[in-house]
Every structure is written in structure tokens, then in C-alpha cells.
Amino acid sequence: MTWIRRNWLWLIVLPLCVAAALFAASHRLLEIYWPSQPTKPIAVDSGTVHYQSELVNAGTTYERNIDVTFNGSSSVDSHEGVIAVEGARLWAFDFTMEAASDVIADGCTIVALDADGRQYFPRAATAQDPSYTELPAPPCVPADAQGPTIDYFTGEVTDSLSPRPSQWDTRLVIAMPEGVEPSAVRIYWDLPHYAEFAIR
């Protein structure tokens, strides 16, 4: 019996093992070139931050230059049909945004932090009020004047029918357990860049 016939199974398994090893070794490179954690804070000056980052999609780079002012937080019963599940409480975070009309500003994410540094994300511990029939507005832009938006599958950029104003207000909500209050809120569009505002 030849060596190849004795070891045919291992010859099939070997490329799979090599591929798995290369994938495991590439994790650090993925984090460098495709970061998934907020590791680059942007300095906040008197409650306002100039958020500057780049969005790369379908081989095209888009600049984001957005001034973000945090106006405060409050406990609310609902927002645009979003309610907290039993045992949780809904918190609203109010921002004022300012950007040129051609800047893609939709799709931001916020994260609430409590005094112990635990993080709370949108859509967790929330439900939809069945009596609310309107479509939810996209995060961070006016519902009726979103400005340019990008289709992340095709890379096509389309503008809203109404031009987005140079300055607008937006409210974003997160559910937190009853008895827990936010001590800070983070906002970002493109990781690893983020801004964190303390809540007093």
C-alpha cells in the first residue's frame, strides 16, 4: 500500500487545518484594518464634538464631518413606537447635529453606560408599541429630510426629496434596567472613532 493511500484522509484534512490556522492568525489584522471596537475617542469641548471620520464603501471614500452637541437625557415612556419591556426603563438622549447638506449623516449608533461602566445598546430590552403605525425614522437624521443616504450593497448614494437643514435635533433611545441610570453616552458612525459625553 502506497503512502498516499495510507494517508489520503489526512491529505484532505490538512488544507482545512491550514485554512483554520490562517483565519485564527488573521484576527488581529482584521481588528487593525476593519476595527469593530470604539478605541479612538474624539475630544469633547463644552458638550460639543467635531466628529470626523471616513466611510469607505464600494471602493469610494466619503468624508464625515459632523458637529454633535449633547443636550441631555431623560426618562420617557415611549419614542416613535419604541417602549421598554417589563423590568426596563426607556431613556432618551437628545442631540443637535450640524453638517453640510452633502454629508452622509444617517446610521449613527449610541451606547449608554452606567456608573459601573456596563454598556447598553439600542433595541435591547425594547418592544414596538402595536398602536404605533408609522415607520420609524432613521437614526440621527430628520425623518422628512434625511439628506444623502448610501445603499451599502450597491454603493449607490441617493438624496432625500427635501434637502437636509444645516442644523437639526435628534432623539435616540435606549432601555436600561429599572433602577439603573445612565452616567455617560457614546455616539459613533464609523468605528473605531467615537465621542463620549458624561451625564451629570
Side-chain angles (χ1 to χ4, degrees):
M1 183 180 286
T2 66
W3 182 88
I4 291 178
R5 295 183 97 178
R6 283 195 314 268
N7 297 289
W8 67 270
L9 180 62
W10 294 111
L11 291 174
I12 293 172
V13 173
L14 181 62
L16 298 175
C17 293
V18 171
L22 288 173
F23 177 78
S26 68
H27 173 72
R28 180 66 183 141
L29 289 177
L30 282 173
E31 277 300 304
I32 292 171
Y33 294 105
W34 189 12
S36 61
Q37 296 296 322
T39 56
K40 292 189 176 180
I42 302 171
V44 176
D45 182 20
S46 301
T48 299
V49 66
H50 179 70
Y51 190 96
Q52 185 173 8
S53 65
E54 291 183 345
L55 163 66
V56 180
N57 186 264
T60 304
T61 300
Y62 304 92
E63 295 283 339
R64 286 202 219 260
N65 286 285
I66 305 170
D67 288 334
V68 181
T69 301
F70 177 56
N71 299 320
S73 62
S74 59
S75 176
V76 296
D77 293 328
S78 66
H79 175 66
E80 294 184 348
V82 176
I83 57 175
V85 300
E86 186 176 353
R89 188 172 166 195
L90 199 64
W91 286 88
F93 302 88
D94 295 313
F95 297 89
T96 297
M97 311 280 187
E98 188 171 351
S101 60
D102 61 344
V103 171
I104 298 172
D106 70 321
C108 75
T109 298
I110 64 165
V111 179
L113 292 88
D114 66 16
D116 295 323
R118 288 178 296 230
Q119 299 180 27
Y120 303 86
F121 294 86
R123 293 178 294 281
T126 61
Q128 193 71 24
D129 184 346
S131 65
Y132 189 86
T133 57
E134 296 181 34
L135 290 174
C140 288
V141 291
D144 55 349
Q146 302 172 25
T149 57
I150 188 168
D151 185 319
Y152 290 97
F153 293 103
T154 65
E156 183 180 354
V157 176
T158 57
D159 211 340
S160 56
L161 295 176
S162 300
R164 191 182 62 223
S166 60
Q167 187 179 85
W168 68 95
D169 295 326
T170 190
R171 169 170 278 192
L172 304 165
V173 294
I174 287 180
M176 301 177 72
E178 285 281 3
V180 177
E181 296 189 4
S183 63
V185 61
R186 288 178 182 168
I187 187 169
Y188 59 84
W189 280 263
D190 309 300
L191 291 171
H193 305 282
Y194 74 97
E196 184 171 311
F197 300 92
I199 299 173
R200 294 175 177 81

